[in-house]
Amino acid sequence: MAPGSPRPTSRDVAQAAGVSQAAVSLVLGDKWRGRVSEATAARVRQAAQDLGYRPNLAARNLRLGRTRTVLLVVPALTTEFFAGVYTGAARVAAAHGFGLVLYPSPEGIGPARDPFASARAALDGIIASSMAADALTALRGDQLPLVMLDSDPQGSHGATTVNLDITDGIRQITGHLLGLGHRHVLHLAADVPSWTFEIRAQELADRLADHPGTTLRTIRTPLTIDAARTAAETALTAPGTRPTAVVCDDDLLAAGTYKAARRLGLRIPDDLSVTGIDDLGLATAIDPELTTVRLDAELFGEQGMHALLAVLEGRSADSGDIPVQLVVRASTAPPPGP
């Protein structure tokens, strides 16, 4: 469009594409499927691109009663994992003309104030981590479309849930450690009232119970490196058979275990094998590098946003948990001899 030229309108696009203005609105509003043909939709998009047409989003949103804004609620006690979730969700949101607002609950996993004067007026929907579920107290009353991440599909108050296959991650860890010969395991569990951590503990207990001669000791700890160091140090010096492997709910807890082992003069992995979950940057920054379960945070965010779009459009969201992968590094080895 030349400088000073009138801004192209939807009528101009309709004329260029040889269709009605209604068809232009359907196509550019991504509501055309089942109403116009793919060929017509392609012709409308090409005409809009050739003319340099940009829809008036503010007017359209006012007309539709939509803001095209989504809230992503995560716990404040977070790591880079949720940065990846945001990146993935924001990528999909932008591709569909939505903005994404990140809201880390200032109270961690506890209740939080509504970040907007009126959530109904400011938002079209919410994506929330189960670790920040209590932060939704103020928002839930507005009955906004809600997608829960890492949440019990049977007990979630969201319209749908998106989960990582965390139980398979625990199965992979357990199989790896048992295959190395470990029979005495310490579970350094995150002391966070969240479904994702509850199923980790249950799956680990179930897997080890299937193997006679194994022992499992579970110690709960806040999700910080220093708290994990204290908890691991206490568990590793307790009376009885010392664990030869520590399964940590998170890479941060594994880092705390490394510090505890060093203080106790234990070598990793010669005296003690350690595993984590997440595959954060620190997994390869610590020495030896950490055996951990890789969780694809960006894909997690993408799937969460796709699920919310499905809810907003009245469609069924894709089902099935997101696969995870055990990454074996130098922190695990066969247990020491008698």
Side-chain angles (χ1 to χ4, degrees):
M1 184 173 64
S5 299
R7 178 173 176 165
T9 65
S10 61
R11 178 176 295 179
D12 297 327
V13 176
Q15 289 177 346
V19 299
S20 67
Q21 279 185 268
V24 171
S25 296
L26 287 172
V27 173
L28 299 184
D30 201 26
K31 300 290 185 182
W32 60 272
R33 292 171 182 80
R35 301 184 185 183
V36 302
S37 69
E38 289 191 18
T40 298
R43 198 163 66 247
V44 169
R45 286 193 293 265
Q46 187 61 52
Q49 181 177 333
D50 293 343
L51 291 172
Y53 173 74
R54 296 291 182 273
N56 186 332
L57 294 178
R60 184 182 70 178
N61 292 339
L62 182 63
R63 184 172 66 254
L64 296 176
R66 299 272 292 272
T67 64
R68 301 188 78 79
T69 301
V70 171
L71 187 70
L72 174 62
V73 183
V74 301
L77 47 80
T78 190
T79 63
E80 71 206 55
F81 176 80
F82 284 106
V85 173
Y86 172 81
T87 299
R91 183 185 301 123
V92 174
H96 290 80
F98 280 77
L100 184 70
V101 178
L102 178 64
Y103 182 59
S105 169
E107 305 301 327
I109 62 169
R113 293 183 301 275
D114 185 343
F116 298 93
S118 171
R120 184 186 293 277
L123 300 169
D124 286 338
I126 301 172
I127 304 170
S129 160
S130 65
M131 290 173 64
D134 287 343
L136 300 172
T137 302
L139 298 173
R140 204 175 303 148
D142 291 275
Q143 299 180 338
L144 288 164
L146 171 64
V147 170
M148 292 299 298
L149 306 179
D150 257 348
S151 182
D152 184 355
Q154 306 305 317
S156 173
H157 45 253
T160 189
T161 59
V162 176
N163 287 321
L164 296 152
D165 196 351
I166 204 69
T167 55
D168 185 55
I170 295 297
R171 285 193 288 269
Q172 293 181 51
I173 288 173
T174 309
H176 174 63
L177 292 175
L178 289 171
L180 289 172
H182 291 279
R183 295 297 181 267
H184 305 292
V185 176
L186 168 65
H187 179 202
L188 207 57
D191 191 14
V192 177
S194 171
W195 174 81
T196 186
F197 292 120
E198 292 171 1
I199 61 169
R200 297 173 202 208
Q202 187 61 57
E203 185 66 22
L204 181 60
D206 290 347
R207 287 285 154 181
L208 292 179
D210 290 338
H211 290 78
T214 60
T215 63
L216 173 64
R217 183 185 308 169
T218 299
I219 300 293
R220 298 193 175 277
T221 174
L223 198 51
T224 68
I225 292 176
D226 284 344
R229 176 192 58 75
T230 300
E233 212 171 319
T234 299
L236 292 171
T237 55
T241 303
R242 191 178 68 208
T244 61
V246 184
V247 175
C248 300
D249 271 351
D250 183 278
D251 291 352
L252 290 177
L253 302 186
T257 302
Y258 271 51
K259 296 182 75 171
R262 188 172 298 111
R263 289 192 175 203
L264 297 173
L266 299 175
R267 298 165 300 167
I268 299 173
D270 305 75
D271 303 313
L272 188 70
S273 288
V274 181
T275 66
I277 294 177
D278 271 350
D279 199 22
L280 303 177
L282 67 78
T284 53
I286 56 180
D287 186 30
E289 294 187 356
L290 180 66
T291 293
T292 186
V293 174
R294 178 174 295 157
L295 309 181
D296 192 332
E298 291 193 20
L299 179 59
F300 198 24
E302 289 176 3
Q303 294 294 84
M305 188 63 209
H306 278 303
L308 182 58
L309 289 171
V311 172
L312 292 173
E313 295 171 6
R315 298 184 285 108
S316 295
D318 292 338
S319 58
D321 293 344
I322 298 171
V324 302
Q325 177 188 3
L326 177 68
V327 181
V328 177
R329 298 193 178 100
S331 69
T332 49

